[in-house]
Amino acid sequence: QVQLVESGGGLVQPGGSLRLSCAASGSKFSMSINAMGWYRQAPGKERELVATISSGGNTNYADSVKGRFTISRVNAKNSVYLQMNSLKPEDTAVYYCNAAITIYGDYGDYWGQGTQVTVSS
């Protein structure tokens, strides 16, 4: 069954950069990935959208990260990436990968387990 595996989180200083990766496991012959995205949840806050990218490459960003973060995908690898530059302490959160996937004709919304991003001096 499909799984989203995330990597790239860690501790970084303000102004630094980090690159998150997420790969969806599964057969490309039975799985069709539509939109993919990144969400985050800070302590005491609800999960919020960070960025999304459609199967055609159209992107959408939260205002708080626009101009600093870049979402991209490589369809052949079933992967989505989030390049985070000029990181701020308020970017500290658990980042979750999300994918809208049709597998064996059934549509579903899938989530990764999350990866911690901490921006601190």
Side-chain angles (χ1 to χ4, degrees), residues 8-20 40 50 64-65 68-69 82-93 95 117-120:
L11 175 65
V12 65
Q13 293 184 349
S17 298
L18 217 54
R19 182 176 173 86
L20 304 183
R40 68 186 182 187
V50 177
S64 60
V65 307
R68 300 187 297 120
F69 292 9
L82 186 68
Q83 178 66 46
M84 304 184 292
N85 299 325
S86 302
L87 283 162
K88 306 174 181 179
E90 49 262 48
D91 293 319
T92 296
Y95 284 70
V117 172
T118 302
V119 185
S120 177

Side-chain angles (χ1 to χ4, degrees), residues 80-121:
V80 63
Y81 308 90
L82 186 68
Q83 178 66 46
M84 304 184 292
N85 299 325
S86 302
L87 283 162
K88 306 174 181 179
E90 49 262 48
D91 293 319
T92 296
V94 177
Y95 284 70
Y96 297 90
C97 177
N98 170 260
I101 301 175
T102 300
I103 180 168
Y104 292 114
D106 292 325
Y107 177 88
D109 205 25
Y110 296 83
W111 294 88
Q113 292 300 305
T115 183
Q116 177 70 48
V117 172
T118 302
V119 185
S120 177
S121 298

